[in-house]
Amino acid sequence: MMWLFFALLAMGIAAAPLMIERYRKPMTDVTRGGVSGQFAELSQGVTHFEWLGPPEGPIAVCIHGLTTPSFAWRAITKGLVAMGYRTLTYDLYGRGYSDRPSGAQDRHFFLGQLEELLENQNVTEPVTVIGYSMGGSIATCFAAAFPDKVTRLILLAPAGMGLTSRGLMSFIIQTPILGDWLMMALFPSMFHRAVKAEQHRPSSVPDVYDMQRKQTAYRGYVAAILASRRGILADVLRDEHLSISAAGLPVFAIWAADDQVIPASAIGCLAEWNRDARHAVIAGAGHGLPYTHAPQVIEEMTAYLQPSA
């Protein structure tokens, strides 16, 4: 009978991550109660978004990264609004208060969400697109696909130059089924430790680290992270940046000097692919620079967008 005990124990262990995911909080109207911003019903589900700034100002669309939803932009948008921009922030599917559709999260998935949101909001004029981390990949793909819809591209610690995964995460990304199970079982605690390691940094977004940790309490978040790592973050966007350069679209990239996520070699890649792109490096900043070094980022953006100010 001992074998039966161990068999049942193994089955229980195997089922535990799936059961934990099942009992995480769903993203519903009740969960969204009292949340600032608005909600749009798009083809893949509900998208949470927020407008800030003067109604007649030029539009800046801010696209967040892999793990931190649109609240990552709360300090940056204040600076953009002060410059007269009407800013649009939104939660990518699987994050924040947007829905959690299943399936691949490649460029077509994310560009579809952005295109539909802009159409839903009757945005017809060209916009400034600002992308942070994975949002930099989405912004780059959007600018390359629709150069006539973009006035300029601003990138903060952008992905798209080759994101290297090592050790266990590399195995998870490359291994179906078992990798999915390991992601469900291990990622929440891994993510919490990573956030804890960064929370000594001051932040211009109040409670940002607590809000990051709370993301793992919602159903579908962990699966979305893995789908993006296997999807858009697997793409090296050389051809897209070459296309943007050929179209003559202005590009400004802001990098973090102490970034442990986006390798320093990424600056050289972008400089090689687009020799007209401008660059700035924020000293002392890690990968969370939109909220840990917001004043410096705003200063660089102001100098770029309003050079005579």
Side-chain angles (χ1 to χ4, degrees):
M1 294 296 293
M2 187 62 70
W3 67 268
L4 180 58
F5 169 77
F6 283 112
L8 291 173
L9 178 62
M11 291 173 61
I13 293 172
L18 304 179
M19 293 301 295
I20 292 172
E21 173 69 7
R22 178 179 178 182
Y23 286 103
R24 287 192 171 108
K25 292 183 287 188
M27 188 52 58
T28 63
D29 291 343
V30 173
T31 309
R32 298 180 177 114
V35 174
S36 64
Q38 304 174 65
F39 298 90
E41 185 75 50
L42 307 180
S43 66
Q44 293 290 321
V46 172
T47 290
H48 170 241
F49 67 95
E50 188 167 12
W51 285 103
L52 295 169
E56 301 305 321
I59 294 175
V61 179
C62 301
I63 310 172
H64 68 76
L66 174 67
T67 60
T68 306
S70 59
F71 56 71
W73 293 111
R74 288 181 181 173
I76 301 298
T77 52
K78 292 179 180 178
L80 290 168
V81 169
M83 285 184 265
Y85 278 83
R86 186 183 183 215
T87 65
L88 173 64
T89 62
Y90 69 102
D91 288 333
L92 298 171
Y93 287 131
R95 290 97 175 155
Y97 293 101
S98 289
D99 273 349
R100 276 90 164 108
S102 60
Q105 294 199 359
D106 54 18
R107 69 179 65 193
H108 304 292
F109 175 79
F110 288 118
L111 292 191
Q113 183 185 21
L114 179 53
E115 287 181 79
E116 289 182 23
L117 180 59
L118 293 177
E119 182 179 358
N120 178 274
Q121 292 299 293
N122 299 311
V123 175
T124 57
E125 67 268 36
V127 300
T128 293
V129 183
I130 306 174
Y132 162 53
S133 192
M134 184 179 78
S137 288
I138 298 169
T140 296
C141 291
F142 184 81
F146 308 105
D148 56 320
K149 297 182 179 181
V150 178
T151 55
R152 64 183 60 81
L153 177 63
I154 300 178
L155 303 171
L156 275 62
M161 270 60 77
L163 186 63
T164 302
S165 299
R166 300 181 179 87
L168 178 61
M169 185 53 67
S170 176
F171 178 83
I172 287 172
I173 293 169
Q174 298 174 22
T175 309
I177 303 177
L178 179 56
D180 295 54
W181 184 89
L182 288 170
M183 186 73 174
M184 287 294 176
L186 302 178
F187 178 80
S189 60
M190 293 166 59
F191 181 60
H192 288 193
R193 287 196 298 271
V195 172
K196 184 177 181 179
E198 292 293 318
Q199 67 183 19
H200 67 281
R201 294 180 179 271
S203 173
S204 298
V205 176
D207 302 320
V208 66
Y209 301 112
D210 287 339
M211 291 190 291
Q212 286 175 325
R213 277 188 286 263
K214 288 178 181 177
Q215 289 299 300
T216 59
Y218 294 103
R219 190 183 306 162
Y221 174 76
V222 176
I225 301 303
L226 180 56
S228 292
R229 292 299 303 265
R230 289 173 172 170
I232 193 167
L233 285 175
D235 293 344
V236 176
L237 303 180
R238 175 181 179 275
D239 291 345
E240 287 71 19
H241 281 290
L242 290 173
S243 175
I244 289 168
S245 176
L249 277 178
V251 176
F252 181 42
I254 303 175
W255 307 89
D258 298 336
D259 199 330
Q260 300 299 308
V261 177
I262 301 299
S265 60
I267 302 177
C269 287
L270 181 54
E272 179 182 350
W273 299 339
N274 187 342
R275 298 187 182 278
D276 294 324
R278 289 178 54 180
H279 301 265
V281 179
I282 306 296
H287 193 63
L289 79 167
Y291 43 90
T292 62
H293 289 71
Q296 295 92 323
V297 172
I298 292 168
E299 182 179 355
E300 294 290 351
M301 284 187 175
T302 301
Y304 174 70
L305 294 170
Q306 299 180 335
S308 60

